Amino acid sequence: MIEPELVVAGFALLGTVALGLVVHEWTHAVVLRLGGIDYAIAYAPNRGPGVLGVLASCPWAVVRPRPTGREPAWVLRCAALAPLVLAVPVFLVGVAGDGRLASPMATAIAIGWLACSLPSPQDFSVAFYAHRALEDRRRRIAATPSSRAD
């Protein structure tokens, strides 16, 4: 028989991951805002019908930066790696070593939160190739014919 404590820990893990995924995207948005780069946040962009459709949609939230091409690449790199700061509270509690993570529920919450602090493969791609994305954006803007009112 499954212990009730483990069932509660499982639900705590699911809830933490759901919240952590949204907070992960918000960390991207905060850095983009501080860097002056326009962005859009979409929640459940690939959602299906109903509650199960929302839960089954992947990703649950997406931040889409809209750079002009004149921004420094380091702002996009910092925004891409910003979710790493989510690990700080868990590590601080762990370093304190006072037994707060001794229960299965606390351990499940810590694991879920740490999982959400990891940058995604797309985040790493932006971190490594931000300069190329900005160059491509500049080229596209330069190639777009501007309209003139005569």
Side-chain angles (χ1 to χ4, degrees):
M1 176 173 242
I2 297 177
E3 298 280 331
E5 187 176 63
L6 294 178
V7 173
V8 170
F11 282 111
L13 176 66
L14 290 174
T16 302
V17 169
L19 176 66
L21 289 174
V22 174
V23 173
H24 172 109
E25 296 301 326
W26 285 350
T27 60
H28 293 309
V30 166
V31 175
L32 289 171
R33 177 166 291 209
L34 292 174
I37 297 176
D38 193 26
Y39 63 91
I41 299 178
Y43 295 100
N46 302 328
R47 80 176 136 235
V51 174
L52 289 177
V54 170
L55 293 175
S57 69
C58 193
W60 288 352
V62 175
V63 173
R64 293 187 178 102
R66 294 188 291 229
T68 61
R70 295 184 304 268
E71 298 85 356
W74 66 266
V75 174
L76 287 176
R77 288 185 174 109
C78 289
L81 299 176
L84 287 170
V85 300
L86 296 177
V88 172
V90 176
F91 286 128
L92 289 176
V93 170
V95 168
D98 58 1
R100 292 184 190 180
L101 297 179
S103 74
M105 186 169 81
T107 302
I109 290 170
I111 289 170
W113 196 253
L114 285 174
C116 293
S117 73
L118 296 173
S120 68
Q122 292 86 356
D123 296 339
F124 281 115
S125 178
V126 170
F128 290 123
Y129 300 110
H131 62 287
R132 289 185 187 171
L134 291 172
E135 288 171 10
D136 290 345
R137 180 71 178 151
R138 280 190 287 265
R139 273 192 226 113
R140 276 186 267 134
I141 289 173
T144 303
S146 58
S147 62
R148 292 187 337 179
D150 289 301

